[in-house]
Amino acid sequence: MVSMKDLSKSYQLGEQQQTVLKSIQLEVQQGDFVTILGPSGSGKSTLMNVIGCLDTQTSGQYTVGGKNTADMNEAELATLRNKQIGFVFQQFQLLPRLSIIENVELPLIYSKVSKKVRRNRAAYLLERVGLADKLTHKPNQLSGGQQQRVAIARALVTEPSLLLADEPTGALDQQTGRQIMELFTQLHHEGKTIIMITHDEKIARYGSRIVHLLDGEIREERGQGV
Ligand SMILES: Nc1ncnc2c1ncn2[C@@H]1O[C@H](COP(=O)(O)OP(=O)(O)O)[C@@H](O)[C@H]1O
Ligand SMILES: [Mg+2]
């Protein structure tokens, strides 16, 4: 599903070059729930941006769904991002003026799906995440945990093959964070491929595999088995 070979990423800051990802080797199989665990500044978000085709590596190879991203143009990458990858962020990133159901429908607006099918699919997903009674609410009328559930429903609406989450519990209290992780676990058991980034070891343990990132290097990888 996702394969990185000897992948590095550097930033040029004036005269200095900072290498943020160093010779990363990473294989994620379909159905995996991989957590990437590392402290602040270790390169987690940079890695997530490359995995999500929001940014490109400086060297090495990145293949997603059997396609080498170096062979794809910007339009092809945008299609891949929109259709194959569902994104969940720490700060939810919902549009404040739209209702909950409109937020969830939004990724389908760019597809050929009819309005009725869009509505039904968004309503179904909101029901699945326990928000069937909130469809016409605005994001600021919901708690943080509820807003993250909306964001997860939105990420799933295009039926992506990969769900990518960057610190999805980072803005939530512990108990709410655990509930969100239980939702990810449920999605994993249904066969979703998930890559989640966190600095929190307890949260990382929800994954079936933990990849440790330290100073831009993958240091350790061990089986977990939830
Ligand atoms: N656009 C950028 N330009 C320059 N340096 C950056 C940029 N983005 C991130 N970095 C640097 O890369 C390192 C890793 O950042 P990041 O991937 O955000 O880490 P994490 O998400 O683990 O906190 C940091 O030292 C950061 O300052
Ligand atoms: Mg980060």
Side-chain angles (χ1 to χ4, degrees), residues 11-13 18 20 38-47 166-167 197 213:
Y11 291 111
Q12 194 73 38
L13 295 168
Q18 188 192 3
V20 176
S40 177
S42 58
K44 300 185 298 297
S45 292
T46 305
L47 181 59
D166 191 357
E167 303 267 7
I197 280 168
L213 189 67

Side-chain angles (χ1 to χ4, degrees), residues 122-143:
Y124 165 75
L125 283 165
L126 283 164
E127 190 186 323
R128 283 237 22 218
V129 300
L131 295 172
D133 57 340
K134 303 275 192 263
L135 304 190
T136 58
H137 285 57
K138 294 282 167 63
N140 68 6
Q141 297 175 300
L142 269 53
S143 70

Side-chain angles (χ1 to χ4, degrees), residues 12 25 28 32 50 54 64 94 161 170 189 214:
Q12 194 73 38
Q25 315 280 353
V28 177
D32 273 355
V50 175
L54 297 162
V64 55
L94 303 175
S161 38
H189 288 155
L214 203 59

